[in-house]
């Protein structure tokens, strides 16, 4: 009986094995043994033992081998804490030597004996003795004299004959595996996958079930789900007279497992082993509570189970497996929630490029908004709209996008830009619209003059050419690649519902349009946390009126122009209220600088001069006067509200009138009005006074009652620092983490693209702060703002509504800081809900 | 004997009078009495008494009048805590009635009696009875029957005869003065001058010394300094047979005080009274410790002293008086320091428009940089340089200035821009250069095409027209107005030296050029706190090399271009080190975005393409690629340092080589190198490693030793918040309050001009935060940064180097927060030093 003081442990149902001392494979094998499966004798070496081996202290390998009988033939496999961390490959047939070869020749014939010995010598030469793989791999095991050739080659390369002592063979194998694990490359690779610095390697030494020899012998692999969809389905292969995973890699001659018209199946040829495997599959699912892939060997018609690993799977398969396990009461709903990585949900919400397709990649950019779409290339927003009018799918290709392009983006099926990063205009808007988007594809050359796009390989694409945009990977494919549909099935809905039952922080959606709002409802968002109103002024008929307003010289003229926008705005809000059916809708008042609404080109200015019947000089003068050095830090948001009060007044009126209309149709509405870019208390007081006055006026005129909530978007560091004096005037504080990040870092998200890559690579920033909330800096301002806001007004609702809203890290932060809800792009709502549920479960001790 | 329970108090040497109960005039009169001056009997009414009078509770005016004898004639004058707060005018000759008139006719003749009675009736009618001034003022006292006309007019207007009871007269006078003080207009006016809401008014009732009658009678005013220069000089007028301040207002017949070729003098005609006055002047200066203006009356050859007030004076006179009083040991140096308003010093540092000149104002803008200058109009930087080359003074007139204009600004004598506010580029640079500057003169119309400037009155000015710019008031004057020279005399230097002896916080200057550095030395700045290096790259020969560097495609080509800039940079630093003679010089590494160095116009681009021998398309493409949406938040500062390391490497090399060179010539130099726009610790680590390497290299190559200090410019909110992890890597943290304010508010100083006026007027911001440090918001970040920086590194030097550095409010803040020094424009150094000294003295209890 060996014991741990010798550094190894025979795996028995009661052996003291743990994942964090002996690794996952050792533990799993013990579980299989406990399920009474026919697992060959296996010895486990602990992390500690393997670490000592690497340092030169070998265990008694003769004693280990002795445990396997007089003529031991064994395999060694790695057993780390997490199979993703990698590790050395398995080595089979240790113990083969000239003597065993001769015995096996007698027992099973020369072919079998040669194959077993050859396999071992090749693996040993390359992986243990570190000889040149080219020398050994070229030798075909089926050639006559192959074994002799290999033995000669070994002697030539080493000046020694091949080691014959099984204990010595094992010692060398163990040492080489232990050292490989501690090598620099392996360490860096596993650390990149999240392994700790001191991650250990265990090893398992298992008696070989040969898979070769008399009677039905062979090896195979079986699993019980489709790894792409998660649907129940038996998949795998079996190959007679083979070892290890040969059935998968050497397809020729392998059998299907279940009956199949394409060829013979194990179900037919080894019916009883097959049935046993089905039973084992069920047992592992029930008792290991996971979908496992089982590695087995048939020895003279009898089944051996060598190993079992979790089936690798796509995100959508992962969701289905977790939900099915819970529905079958094998795991709890809480555990099902914990098993799905929130970010993986994104994959389910969008079409995907079918991984089985073979359309070539023609361009690579930054994957800025997930999903895949096909369409014909267009180079302008106008062309995109024309294309949409013809009901023809198109992809909008631009150097970069600007607010003027929004209508074109709405009309396009996907967006591709040459410039920009994850936080560029194109990326942010596309994510908001749920539109596949690739940005920063800077290897292409756009020639706007002749409407062509030059690919890195020199080919030219023109308007009308069909391409496929894969926003999940950043790849552009030639032509119309086949796509998989989104997976918003009952399984997905169930998971979302369970998350809703568990989580303790609200999740709303950022939604600017009825289309966004419909998506928000579909994902059961608890209202709209940020409705940006500026896009509403870009639609064709409105833009003209908007420009008239900008060119008006008196308060009266401005008000008259806005009067014409009022019914359109009212209709916008009524539509949103109707869709949201009484859920809260938080409307941000007009935010961008006015110059965004004016043309930039001479031609556009000439058109505008014509439309407004003004001299060209007056148009250019006004446009020049409105230009800004740093628009982000300029005359926008509440500053516009204070100095040009008519815009906010019109918007407030539209909101209140829509509130009355929508409340008559259905659930009563309590609109939320949010003031952007506040930096001083007095700004809030001024706007509040005016909006209160409009509310009274509308109530009187319409003879109706309603309530509304006024709040502040905290986007400047100063607003966070002064939250204590701002909060008493407001019902809510919603932190706009995009702008707050820009100002805290002094970094424009539109301009950061040029160096953000460099910065993250050099570790200057651990992450792109527009992508991942900067807890240290921006986070401190959120904490300060939240604490001071609450201290001054314990009723104040706290939330974040920036791009970060949907990130698990931000949600964790907001939960801790006592925020009431997060708001994110509609397509991030499921991610946010699941992340929130997991955080709650972790707090409750569910692992 | 009257006492305070009756609400009034006879002024005697021992009467219980205080400035804050009875006002300054009452207190001053008591002091004069204590100096044994012949002050007529005076009764003081306290603030409380006057307040009760306004509410209708009158004191016993009969009792007051009885104190002045059987036939009292008195005056009433206001006595508030601060004479600047205003108050009702004096009323003379109360007590005059028909009976007294008859008696005086008998005693002094009808002319005298009429004049006294008339003066009283006119004042009473207008100021007490509130009758129409037009009716009474037209009556000429010298006309026959004037007295009868006035009495009749009074009866006509009031249907009552003129009140004859002196007690009643006094009661009405007191009531009208008390009520005038509590009126809304008077209250708002004095609050605008800093008076508290409950500021009180005292009144003094004084026996009239008539100034009319037999023998030498008259009245006059005397002071002993020139109120413009502060030089000792007897000034004032005396008029026989007059009352009050008639000698000053009715010049005809008034005498000079001292012998004067232009006419007779009091020194000659009333030698003994004159001598007594000189003695009294000396006494007040010694005992009241101030330069006083004395109001006196001569009654039949005998002197009466009616009043004395502090001589109103210009800033330069104020400095001289304070220093002279201290030099004469009348006040301490500390008190002299406390007597000068720091901001007033600015006036002394620059030329001023002579207030006695009469050139017309043709345009008004924002006074952006003090001082006055004349010059011929130029409309471009090139023209300014050409003008300077001809040694012809010019004023640079632009819509606004950009970095490209800096050479032009250097060449100009003053700058005038149509756009911009106190924090615009033109304003900031001009203040830095000590150049008079007016910005935001938006009533002019610049036509750049035909190089003309249209004035609000329609007149056209052209290139070459002479104008005078008064940067202290924002006025532009036609032609060359006469100017006063700066007052940097021994008196000014003495005050500065005393401030240096007292203050406990360092004052350095922001200085970019040798010219700046010379000014910094002149004002004895303790080194340079901020030397911006970017302007050095704008000089003609350098700009070309700089552009070559920007267009270089490889690290080698960039380094080669920078290699050519190295000797020029080294010369820049050597010059600064030589001027500063061992004082610390803090050099900020290159900060602006590269696109600032590229041309904006097609023409400029074409020229550049020619100069670099590149196709135009490549030039425009690179320029486009470098464009930024928000340059303030873009690729500049340390971000450039991290991604294009060659620039900082060249600068570090230049600094170190200059250090060695300058240390060989004179005092050893310890240069300070400052990294701009830091937002993360790792940025500092990266730059520090590279600069340390350059230092070692230079030491080895030159076989020389030196030390240097590396620090961080804290300009982003994040750098302040994370000061704890940044400070251990740096020798100093210098807070750049300009950028920090921009980011804390989310407000670009270049774009804020358009609404800042509105915002301050509406009270949204109490002050322009670029002008006055925002203690609440930006200040909190300074405090956080300072505390955390010190906690992590108690050796770290703390300072501010933004535009705010010279403001007394910022200095107060920095002293409290434990900063080591402030750095400000060279011309603000004296202001900063004095403010710092005063803060120390206040802490020490000196008032």
């Amino acid at each position: 009986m060996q014991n741990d003081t010798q550094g190894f442990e025979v795996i028995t149902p009661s052996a003291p094995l743990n994942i964090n001392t002996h690794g996952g494979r050792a533990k799993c094998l013990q579980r299989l043994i406990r399920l009474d499966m026919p697992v060959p004798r296996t010895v486990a070496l602990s992390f500690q033992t393997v670490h000592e081996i690497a340092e030169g202290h070998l265990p008694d390998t003769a004693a280990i081998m002795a445990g396997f009988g007089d003529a031991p033939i064994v395999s060694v496999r790695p057993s780390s804490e997490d199979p993703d961390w990698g590790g050395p490959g398995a080595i089979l047939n240790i113990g083969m030597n000239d003597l065993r070869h001769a015995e096996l020749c007698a027992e099973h014939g020369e072919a079998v004996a040669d194959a077993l010995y050859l396999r071992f010598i090749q693996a040993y030469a390359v992986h243990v003795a570190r000889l040149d793989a080219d020398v050994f791999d070229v030798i075909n095991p089926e050639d006559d004299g192959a074994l002799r050739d290999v033995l000669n080659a070994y002697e030539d390369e080493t000046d020694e004959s091949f080691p014959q002592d099984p204990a010595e063979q094992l010692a060398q194998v163990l040492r080489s595996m232990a050292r490989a694990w501690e090598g620099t490359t392996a360490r860096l690779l596993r650390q990149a996958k999240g392994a700790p610095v001191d991650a250990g390697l265990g090893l398992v030494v298992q008696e070989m079930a040969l898979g070769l020899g008399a009677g039905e012998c062979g090896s195979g692999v079986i699993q019980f789900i489709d790894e792409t969809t998660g649907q129940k389905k038996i998949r795998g292969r079996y190959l007679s007279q083979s070892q290890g995973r040969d059935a998968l890699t050497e397809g020729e001659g392998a059998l299907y497992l279940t009956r199949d018209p394409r060829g013979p199946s194990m179900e037919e040829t080894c019916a009883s082993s097959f049935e046993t495997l089905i039973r084992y599959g069920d047992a592992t699912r029930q008792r290991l509570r996971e979908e496992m892939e089982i590695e087995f060997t048939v020895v003279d018609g009898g089944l051996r189970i060598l190993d079992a690993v979790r089936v690798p799977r796509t995100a959508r398969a992962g969701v289905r497996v977790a939900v099915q396990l819970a529905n079958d009461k094998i795991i709890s709903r809480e555990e099902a929630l914990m098993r799905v990585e929130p970010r993986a949900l994104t994959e389910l919400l969008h079409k995907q490029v079918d991984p089985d397709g073979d359309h070539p990649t023609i361009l690579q950019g930054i994957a800025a908004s997930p999903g895949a779409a096909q369409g014909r290339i267009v180079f302008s927003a106008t062309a995109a709209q024309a294309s949409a009018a013809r009901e023809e799918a198109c992809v909008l290709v631009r150097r970069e996008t600007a607010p003027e392009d929004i209508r074109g983006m709405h009309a396009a099926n996907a967006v591709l830009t040459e410039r920009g990063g994850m936080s560029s205009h194109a990326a942010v808007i596309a994510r908001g619209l749920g539109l596949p988007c690739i940005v920063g594809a800077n290897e292409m050359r756009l020639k706007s003059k002749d409407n062509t796009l030059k690919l890195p390989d020199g080919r030219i694409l023109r308007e009308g050419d069909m391409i496929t945009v894969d926003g999940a990977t950043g790849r552009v494919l030639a032509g119309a690649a086949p796509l998989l549909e989104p997976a918003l099935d009952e399984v997905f809905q169930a998971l979302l519902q369970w998350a809703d039952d568990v989580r303790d922080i609200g999740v709303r959606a950022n939604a600017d349009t009825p289309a966004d709002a419909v998506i928000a409802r579909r994902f059961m968002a608890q209202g709209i946390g940020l409705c940006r109103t500026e896009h509403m002024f870009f639609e064709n008929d409105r833009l003209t009126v908007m420009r008239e307003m900008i060119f008006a010289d008196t308060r009266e003229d401005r008000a008259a122009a806005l009067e014409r926008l009022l019914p359109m705005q009212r209709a916008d809000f009524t539509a949103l209220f109707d869709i949201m059916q009484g859920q809260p809708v938080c409307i941000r008042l007009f935010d961008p600088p006015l110059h965004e609404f004016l043309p930039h080109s001479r031609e556009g200015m000439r058109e505008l001069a014509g439309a407004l019947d003004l001299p060209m000089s007056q148009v250019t003068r006004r446009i020049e006067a409105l230009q800004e050095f740093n628009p982000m830090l300029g005359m926008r948001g509440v500053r516009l509200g204070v100095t040009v009060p008519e815009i906010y007044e019109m918007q407030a009126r539209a909101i209140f009138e829509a509130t009355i209309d929508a409340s008559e149709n259905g659930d009563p509405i309590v609109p939320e009005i949010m003031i952007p870019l506040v930096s001083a208390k007095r700004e809030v007081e001024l706007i509040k006074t005016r909006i209160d006055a409009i509310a009274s006026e509308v109530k009187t005129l319409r003879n109706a009652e309603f309530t509304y909530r006024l709040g502040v978007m905290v986007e400047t560091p100063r607003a966070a620092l002064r939250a204590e004096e701002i909060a008493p005037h407001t019902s809510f504080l919603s932190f706009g983490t995009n702008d707050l990040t820009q100002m805290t870092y002094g970094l424009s998200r539109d301009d950061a693209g040029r160096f953000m890559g460099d910065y993250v690579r050099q570790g200057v920033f651990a992450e792109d702060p527009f992508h991942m909330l900067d807890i240290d800096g921006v986070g401190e301002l959120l904490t300060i703002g939240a604490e001071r806001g609450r201290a001054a007004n314990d009723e104040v609702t706290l939330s974040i509504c920036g791009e970060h809203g949907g990130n698990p890290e931000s949600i964790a932060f907001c939960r801790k800081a006592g925020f009431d809800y997060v708001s994110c792009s509609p397509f991030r709502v499921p991610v946010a809900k699941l992340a929130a549920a997991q955080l709650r479960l972790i707090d409750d001790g569910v692992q």
Side-chain angles (χ1 to χ4, degrees), chain A residues 526-684:
Chain A
Q526 295 167 286
I528 294 177
L530 173 62
C531 170
R532 285 166 288 235
T533 52
E534 37 274 15
H535 75 94
M536 301 173 177
F537 298 95
F538 278 108
E539 297 187 21
N540 240 332
D541 44 345
R542 304 181 182 191
L543 187 58
T544 313
V545 187
M546 190 67 192
R547 289 170 169 180
E548 266 177 52
M549 193 277 292
I550 295 172
F551 276 84
D553 281 322
T554 65
R555 190 180 152 94
E556 289 68 34
D557 288 352
R558 268 197 298 277
L562 287 164
E563 187 67 31
R564 289 161 56 202
L565 290 173
L566 174 66
M568 311 186 204
Q569 270 271 272
R570 188 174 51 219
D572 293 330
F573 297 131
T574 309
L576 286 177
F577 293 153
D578 284 346
I579 293 166
M580 295 309 293
Q581 298 172 25
Q583 295 271 45
V585 176
C586 180
I587 297 160
R588 180 176 74 180
L589 295 172
F590 191 87
D591 184 54
L594 292 179
H595 52 74
E596 286 198 4
F597 295 87
L598 297 177
H600 300 308
S601 67
R602 289 299 285 180
E603 192 194 330
M605 291 182 202
R606 250 191 299 273
E607 267 175 36
L608 179 58
L612 299 180
D613 196 20
L614 287 173
M616 181 69 176
S617 63
Q618 197 172 331
V619 169
T620 53
R621 194 175 171 85
R622 177 66 57 101
I623 289 176
E624 263 179 44
L626 285 175
Q627 269 169 9
E628 295 185 305
F629 296 103
N630 294 285
M632 173 61 48
L633 307 176
M635 175 77 157
R636 64 181 192 92
V638 69
R639 293 164 194 165
L640 212 48
V642 167
T643 49
V644 189
E646 298 84 0
I647 304 177
Y648 282 11
E649 285 171 5
M650 181 279 283
Q651 290 198 299
R653 192 178 303 277
I655 292 168
F656 295 138
E657 293 181 356
T659 298
I660 296 173
D661 293 348
S663 300
E664 279 167 4
N665 303 342
D667 302 296
I669 306 292
V670 179
E672 300 178 346
I673 298 181
M674 181 153 70
I675 312 173
L677 206 69
V678 165
S679 65
K681 170 189 70 163
R682 181 92 184 116
E683 291 169 326
V684 182

